[in-house]
Amino acid sequence: FDQSKTLDITGKVTEIAIRNPHSQITLEVSKPEGGVTKFYVEWSDKNALQRRTVPVDKMHVGDKVTISVNPSRRLPNVGYFRTALLPDGTILKDCGFAAYRDSVAKGTKITC
């Protein structure tokens, strides 16, 4: 994934698979010329997301969301999750391992 680039994708969630070893969200995205295409969003594993207290249960199949991704360097319509804007205005994000490690070391709740 190209971490120097960010792409915002808006579409309807058709699948959410929060699992190990990697999670995936599938969006149905309208094409400018008409019709729809699928966009696949890779994400961290279920265990890490739970440890980092990411409220993944707030996103549902059927929701229209905007997900910010780092696009794949090789594959079209594939990206790595950065943030998601949910229909109720909630911004879903994963602080990453460094924030989790720091919160454990300090004995505090993880915050982004």
Side-chain angles (χ1 to χ4, degrees), residues 38-49:
K38 295 218 182 249
F39 196 96
Y40 302 95
V41 179
E42 294 291 322
W43 202 0
S44 191
D45 64 277
K46 180 179 180 178
N47 293 341
L49 293 171

Side-chain angles (χ1 to χ4, degrees), residues 36-75:
V36 295
T37 189
K38 295 218 182 249
F39 196 96
Y40 302 95
V41 179
E42 294 291 322
W43 202 0
S44 191
D45 64 277
K46 180 179 180 178
N47 293 341
L49 293 171
Q50 287 177 333
R51 280 192 306 269
R52 297 173 193 160
T53 66
V54 179
V56 295
D57 59 335
K58 289 189 174 204
M59 187 184 313
H60 304 96
V61 169
D63 285 352
K64 184 175 180 182
V65 299
T66 299
I67 299 181
S68 179
V69 299
N70 295 125
S72 171
R73 292 180 189 269
R74 297 185 183 129
L75 300 171

Side-chain angles (χ1 to χ4, degrees), residues 51 98-110:
R51 280 192 306 269
Y100 170 73
R101 181 190 61 222
D102 290 345
S103 72
V104 170
K106 294 175 184 172
T108 60
K109 184 177 177 180
I110 189 168

